[in-house]
């Protein structure tokens, strides 16, 4: 049922956009994502689909004659991180186009079909990840996000206006949401669980709750030689305790992960006691309660006499549980295709995770033998990607 040659051609075409020696560069709100969006429009039109840009700049390729009623959508995003891989986002869009083409050829889908390409999913440029789905669902802090600038001084408000997106259109975007009847996102696996099962496909059970914190620790700088150990107010000591607590507490909490990825000691010289330390904390766990146990423990551990700790929350996302009906349908379709599919929790942000709070949504992961993502080393075999297309098409055609 799946046209393998079509898959190969479309994946090759999209992978040719933004390809540079260090990896794939299709940064949102710039020429890379623009070129990929142009490709999506032209490709979907050639497949006989009608292109609609919603008020948040997400692109929808919809079956002609769908009317204003809800459609069953599949898709992902076409932007990338800097020097990213070929599969993140792109695979979901290509599998979506190929699966919808196959389902339309087979005929009998109970609802109109559509492929979505969500805007600015990755978010490194303006720190506004999952922009398109958050705007669509009314979860976006519109004025705050539009005022942000990138490291080159470009303001998002100006770049968005170039695509016809303003504060007013963003406020109107949730009116489009009822048209999205369901959403299934195929995505390259961002870990290495499926290779060990082994299974070519994974059905996401839930998307982890996530928090990012910034911490400033203030002690007092002093002479590394003349200041006695007793009485020092070394700000790096509680920072070190936080790093170890993050590792130990997350290791003890099933499914939890915690990372201090950024740390600085100030003034930062060999012969001075650090008077100030700054660190980041990223905590993720399958349930909010587990996240809070790890986070509270790390914050309590980041303590030393004479050092004051100030924690500020950068981002928080409660995560989601994916739709039970769609998950069962994906498993059933995999069984019918003779394919193994494992249950898998997701730990990174995805449009599906935002949409799942508002409508039936699910994710289908494709085995990534390297386990690496956001890197040119991320990969998936063509056989596994075609398996995902087949499961997706069968799921769209299921009787309801
Ligand atoms: Zn992605």
């Amino acid at each position: 049922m799946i046209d393998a040659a079509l898959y190969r051609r479309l994946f090759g075409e999209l992978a040719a956009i933004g390809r540079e020696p260090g990896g794939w560069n299709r940064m949102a709100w710039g020429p890379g994502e623009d070129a990929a969006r142009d490709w999506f429009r032209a490709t979907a039109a050639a497949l006989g689909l009608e292109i609609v840009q919603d008020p948040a700049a997400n692109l929808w390729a919809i079956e002609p004659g769908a009317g204003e009623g809800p459609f069953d959508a599949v898709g992902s995003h076409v932007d990338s991180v800097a020097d990213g891989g070929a599969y993140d986002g792109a695979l979901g869009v290509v599998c979506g186009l190929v699966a919808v083409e196959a389902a339309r050829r087979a005929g009998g889908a109970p609802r109109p079909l559509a492929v979505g390409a969500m805007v600015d999913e990755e978010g490194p440029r303006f720190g506004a990840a999952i922009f398109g789905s958050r705007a669509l669902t009314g979860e976006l802090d519109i004025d705050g996000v539009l005022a942000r600038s990138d490291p080159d001084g470009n303001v998002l408000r100006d770049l968005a206006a170039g695509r016809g997106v303003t504060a007013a259109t963003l406020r109107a975007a949730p009116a489009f949401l009822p048209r999205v009847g369901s959403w299934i996102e195929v995505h390259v696996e961002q870990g290495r669980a499926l290779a060990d099962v082994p299974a070519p496909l994974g059905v996401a059970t839930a998307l982890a709750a996530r928090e990012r914190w910034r911490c400033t620790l203030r002690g007092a700088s002093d002479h590394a030689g003349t200041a006695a150990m007793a009485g020092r107010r070394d700000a790096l000591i509680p920072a070190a305790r936080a790093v170890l607590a993050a590792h130990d507490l997350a290791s003890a909490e099933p499914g939890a992960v915690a990372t201090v990825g950024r740390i600085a000691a100030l003034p930062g010289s060999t012969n001075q006691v650090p008077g100030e330390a700054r660190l980041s904390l990223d905590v993720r766990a399958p349930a909010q309660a587990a996240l809070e146990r790890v986070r509270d423990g790390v914050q309590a551990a980041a303590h030393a006499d004479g050092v004051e700790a100030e924690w500020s929350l950068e981002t928080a996302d409660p995560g989601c549980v994916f739709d039970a009906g769609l998950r069962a349908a994906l498993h059933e379709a995999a069984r019918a295709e003779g394919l193994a599919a494992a249950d898998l929790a997701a730990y990174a942000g995805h449009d599906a995770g935002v949409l799942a709070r508002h409508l039936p949504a699910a994710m289908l992961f494709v085995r990534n033998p390297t386990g690496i993502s956001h890197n040119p080393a991320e990969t998936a075999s063509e056989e596994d990607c075609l398996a995902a297309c087949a499961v997706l098409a069968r799921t769209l055609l299921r009787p309801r």
Side-chain angles (χ1 to χ4, degrees):
M1 175 162 121
I2 294 301
D3 183 344
L6 177 68
Y7 168 82
R8 206 166 295 140
R9 176 169 69 80
L10 298 192
F11 190 82
E13 287 173 1
L14 185 48
I17 299 171
R19 184 174 194 165
E20 292 174 15
W24 278 263
N25 285 281
R26 294 194 296 261
M27 198 62 79
W29 309 104
E33 191 189 28
D34 278 341
R37 285 162 63 85
D38 288 345
W39 171 86
F40 179 77
R41 282 191 190 89
T43 303
L47 291 170
L49 300 170
E50 288 175 354
I51 311 298
V52 173
Q53 176 171 320
D54 73 25
N58 301 303
L59 296 176
W60 301 94
I62 308 170
E63 273 194 292
E68 293 299 304
F71 48 69
D72 282 332
V74 292
S76 190
H77 58 96
V78 294
D79 67 313
S80 77
V81 293
D83 290 335
Y87 291 82
D88 190 334
L91 181 62
V93 170
V94 170
C95 285
L97 288 166
V98 171
V100 164
E101 190 276 336
R104 293 183 70 205
R105 208 165 4 93
R111 276 215 282 209
L113 304 177
V115 186
M118 309 298 283
V119 70
D120 194 0
E121 194 275 339
E122 298 287 5
R125 193 170 176 193
F126 294 100
I130 341 176
F131 179 98
S133 50
R134 285 195 293 147
L136 201 55
T137 55
E139 291 191 12
L140 190 70
D141 164 22
I142 295 170
D143 294 316
V145 162
L146 286 180
R148 290 188 191 169
S149 46
D150 70 7
D152 297 326
N154 301 296
V155 179
L156 180 53
R157 186 183 305 281
D158 302 333
L159 298 181
R163 285 189 189 164
V165 175
T166 64
T169 68
L170 290 172
R171 271 186 258 285
F176 188 87
L177 190 61
R179 295 199 62 187
V180 188
S182 66
W183 170 262
I184 305 176
E185 184 162 354
V186 170
H187 205 280
V188 66
E189 184 190 11
Q190 295 174 293
R192 210 188 157 277
L194 294 175
D196 294 335
V197 174
L201 302 173
V203 177
T205 50
L207 201 141
R210 308 179 305 287
E211 284 184 2
R212 265 184 228 174
W213 290 82
R214 198 187 314 201
C215 177
T216 303
L217 295 150
R218 290 190 190 86
S221 172
D222 208 336
H223 193 294
T226 59
M229 294 310 290
R232 283 190 181 193
R233 296 170 61 203
D234 184 336
L236 200 55
I237 301 300
R241 290 185 177 134
V243 174
L244 296 175
H247 180 84
D248 294 346
L249 293 171
S251 300
E253 191 73 58
V257 288
T259 308
V260 175
R262 213 172 53 215
I263 190 160
L266 302 170
S269 81
T270 318
N271 60 353
Q272 276 176 293
V273 175
E276 186 174 317
R278 295 178 196 156
L279 66 144
S280 64
L281 174 67
D282 180 308
V283 190
R284 309 175 191 217
Q288 182 69 25
L291 182 152
E292 286 169 13
R293 279 193 291 275
V294 174
R295 173 248 286 159
D296 291 349
V298 172
Q299 295 186 345
H303 172 82
D305 286 342
V307 180
E308 186 187 308
E310 185 188 313
W311 289 89
S312 60
L313 183 64
E314 258 184 1
T315 59
D317 187 307
C320 74
V321 174
F322 289 110
D323 184 72
L326 283 180
R327 281 160 52 201
L330 287 166
H331 275 296
E332 179 54 40
R335 259 192 303 278
E337 293 285 333
L339 297 160
D343 279 327
L344 213 63
Y347 283 85
H350 295 287
D351 291 303
V354 177
L355 295 173
R357 293 197 278 266
H358 302 266
L359 52 99
M363 291 191 78
L364 184 65
F365 285 105
V366 180
R367 172 167 54 191
N368 173 3
T370 68
I372 294 170
S373 70
H374 280 183
N375 181 295
E378 75 186 15
T379 191
S381 74
E382 188 179 279
E383 188 186 349
D384 289 355
C385 296
L386 290 170
C389 293
V391 167
L392 199 53
R394 195 180 274 273
T395 303
L396 292 171
L397 291 170
R398 74 195 183 284
R400 272 158 273 174

